[in-house]
Amino acid sequence: MTQILQYLVMPLVHIVVALAAILTFIALNGLILVYVERKVAGFIQRRPGPYEVGPQGLLQPLADALKLMAKQLVMPRGADSILFWAAPLLSFTPVAICLMPIPFGPNLTGWNVNLGILLVLAFSGLNVLALCLAGWSSNNKYSLLGAARAVAQSVAYEIPLLLSVLCIAFTTGSLNFADVTASQSHGLFSWNIFVQPLAFLIFFIAALAETNRAPFDLPEAESELTAGFHTEYSGMGFGLFFLAEYSYMIVVSAVGSVLFLGGWNGPFLSGHWWMLGKIYALILVMMWFRWTYPRVRFDQLLNICWKWLIPLSLMNLLGTALIINLVR
Amino acid sequence: MTTIRKTLNGLWSLIVGLKVTGKEFCKPWLTVHYPRQEVNNLNTYRGHIELVSLSDDPGKPKCVVCRRCEEICPSDCIRIEMHTPEESHLPDRPLMLISGVPLAGSVAKDPLCEGDKLLRVLDGFYLNYNMCSLCGLCVQNCPVSSLTFSQEVYLAGQKRSDFEFDLLQRLQEDAYKPIKSYH
Ligand code: SF4
Ligand code: SF4
């Protein structure tokens, strides 16, 4: 009886609680990030941003969310209904799993798995399938083009992303986020960003592309493709894609913080506040990028990846492997 | 070698871009929060044209009815109605082409004069603001500066007819109203 309790019920309860906490975190973050993004956009363009709903416009994201929920769900004629409605769900659900293995604090890990990095990379790959399905099932040329771009872009940028993550896995010798965090706990300069600056740069650029953030937001390029893969989605269909985009920003920022910025380790007073601070700092940088850089052309996008990022990350990986072998 | 230099230059330009937007982020807002704040240069606003009154009679325009504005308006949005008053106390007489030779069938009173100037009376000054391009030609070309741009910022309407004005009537109405303020 106690054994059942120990090996079956307790882990199950643990996972359910962790999932619930993570979903709350995601939903809250969706609201906060929408607000922050619009404020950042406003301030960079020297205007106040949302201001009218609530004090300083704080209730604006709630109003937006209500609007999205109240809207009618419309499906275009000739669309594949199952795939059409499965796509937004498929885009959103893996996010919760991606955040499970990430150590937010010394004792704040949803689910401590040994292959955490692999888990995140595998499940975040599902997103591109969702975008592809959304574009394909919409029966709309813009959606289809957006989906084609999403797939080409994700496939290309997954390689440098993986290679730069691999560098960290080599130096730490583990695919467990907790181990990676622990290996960076010896002061500021043990953080991987100082050990592997190039890998961090490549990781960050590839992460921008993987989350379809500007300047790599080609799958939804408004000026050419209306809204790309989610052209035909209204109401919560669009809302889920939207939430998923912001959630993936959190995922890549969290992964980036753990892999390169020391996770919850701080130069002083280590704790989950450091982790949160790093996540939001990375997200702010992403927003800053979005309102600074114009969108790249599609061939430029692929050129950056195949001609620069992949060779550089390969060289970085080889160099890392060589040094590790020499040191050992 | 040049490729690498170009790439480095490109990367540097990315940082410059971030610097620019980062600086802008920290500067104060440029936009004006309309219902709570207003811009303080409303007097530079060019609204529809309006007649300028004589300094000694706010109900009378300076206009001498030369019709230059009507003529020059490229959008044809000014229409002037006028008449020449007659010497009512004199009897009708036939028009003369040469003195002493009357024009058959033409009988009229003499026009009223002020000194050696023929008097003309403005009956209506109609502006079709729907067509106006605010080019300012009428304002520039009025010989007696009888036209100016109004500062009516909050003009709004739902029909075309909301933007067809009789400027003369407006002037007369405004003359007996308390002074309007747009600020
Ligand atoms: S501003 Fe130009 S278009 Fe408008 S009434 Fe005067 S001449 Fe015509
Ligand atoms: S140009 Fe001036 S004076 Fe001549 S008709 Fe027009 S408003 Fe009157």
Side-chain angles (χ1 to χ4, degrees), chain B residues 51 63-70 80 125 141-144 146-147:
Chain B
L51 284 169
C63 175
V64 293
V65 207
C66 68
R67 307 190 97 159
R68 267 198 208 182
C69 50
E70 194 183 28
I80 287 173
F125 195 107
N141 284 286
C142 176
V144 291
S146 176
L147 287 177

Side-chain angles (χ1 to χ4, degrees), chain B residues 124-158:
Chain B
F125 195 107
Y126 301 101
L127 171 70
N128 183 356
Y129 189 41
N130 295 305
M131 314 291 274
C132 176
S133 54
L134 293 170
C135 67
L137 282 176
C138 52
V139 176
Q140 277 170 20
N141 284 286
C142 176
V144 291
S145 307
S146 176
L147 287 177
T148 176
F149 290 110
S150 73
Q151 285 161 27
E152 191 130 349
V153 181
Y154 301 117
L155 185 68
Q158 293 161 335

Side-chain angles (χ1 to χ4, degrees), chain A residues 224-240:
Chain A
E224 311 125 58
L225 297 185
T226 322
F229 61 89
H230 61 63
T231 305
E232 295 291 355
Y233 285 88
S234 61
M236 266 331 263
F238 167 73
L240 278 182

